[in-house]
Every structure is written in structure tokens, then in C-alpha cells.
Amino acid sequence: MTSRKLLAAIALTALPFGTACSAAPHTAAPSPSTSAATVSPEPVSEPATKTPAYADPRPSDFAMKFRVKRKHCFGSAGCNVDVEPDLSYEGILPIDPAKSYEITYEITGDESGPVIETISLTNGTSMEYYPSSLSTASSGVKITGKVTDVAETN
């Protein structure tokens, strides 16, 4: 059996199994001028590093309460009260931890009038302040306060 007849026999037996065989003569690969255009892949860009958005804090972004650390009352003569600020930030965006701020606040309840104090805020969470000593007209006076100014210090 010649090789041509052998190829034809193999092709005929392969047809029932769904495999097609072509006896066409082998053609050369297309030349570069007739090849399909190649598309070079687009360069992969590095994902953009998002810089977090930070707030420019305002006085209205803060809520203030006071913790009474010491209270000594003298009957009808009123009380001496030592308080510490309990400051909370309620802004939408976080405060930049790389910046420092001076937060000025006003305390009401002292019998002599409002007391002005300042808190230093660093790293977005670290506060430095001094307790405030007040004299109230009676033991029932409520100590309140509010932030009046926020200034960046660096």
C-alpha cells in the first residue's frame, strides 16, 4: 500500500468519529504582509494611590462636655470645682494626623464669667490641656462649654 492510499484509508476511518482530515496539499504560512494585524497590549498602569481626604476642622465639628474631677462646696457660698474637658470630634472627614491644632474653648458656670482655655491636639488623637478651677455660685450650677476656635499650629 502506498503512503497516499494509507492516508486516504486513515481519513475515511476518522470521518465517522467526527474528525475531518484534508488531503489538500500543504500550503506555506501566510507572509507577514498578509497576516492579521497584531494588537499590542495596553500598558498596565499602576493603581493610583489615593491620598486620604482630611478635614479642615471648624469649631462646629467638636462637641464638649466636662468631667468634674474635684468639687468642694461651702453651703450658701458656692463651690470650688476642678473640671477637665471631654472633647469629641464629630466631623465627617478625619483630622490629618500629621497636623497639630490649638482648640480654644469657653467654659460657662464660673461666678466671675466665662473662662477661656486651650487644648493642643496632635496626631489626630493626643490632647494636652490643663484642668480648670472654677468657683460657682451654688452646688446646682451646671458647667458647660463650647469650642470657639480651631487653629493649625504647624
Side-chain angles (χ1 to χ4, degrees), residues 93-116:
L93 296 173
I95 295 175
D96 188 346
K99 294 181 179 179
S100 295
Y101 299 92
E102 283 189 349
I103 301 169
T104 304
Y105 58 98
E106 180 179 281
I107 305 170
T108 56
D110 186 81
E111 66 183 349
S112 299
V115 176
I116 308 295

Side-chain angles (χ1 to χ4, degrees), residues 66-120:
F66 290 92
R67 288 188 292 249
V68 175
K69 299 305 279 187
R70 188 182 70 81
K71 185 174 186 178
H72 188 99
C73 295
F74 306 101
S76 63
C79 301
N80 289 334
V81 183
D82 291 340
V83 295
E84 290 183 349
D86 184 9
L87 183 71
S88 61
Y89 176 72
E90 298 178 345
I92 296 171
L93 296 173
I95 295 175
D96 188 346
K99 294 181 179 179
S100 295
Y101 299 92
E102 283 189 349
I103 301 169
T104 304
Y105 58 98
E106 180 179 281
I107 305 170
T108 56
D110 186 81
E111 66 183 349
S112 299
V115 176
I116 308 295
E117 298 283 359
T118 301
I119 296 173
S120 294

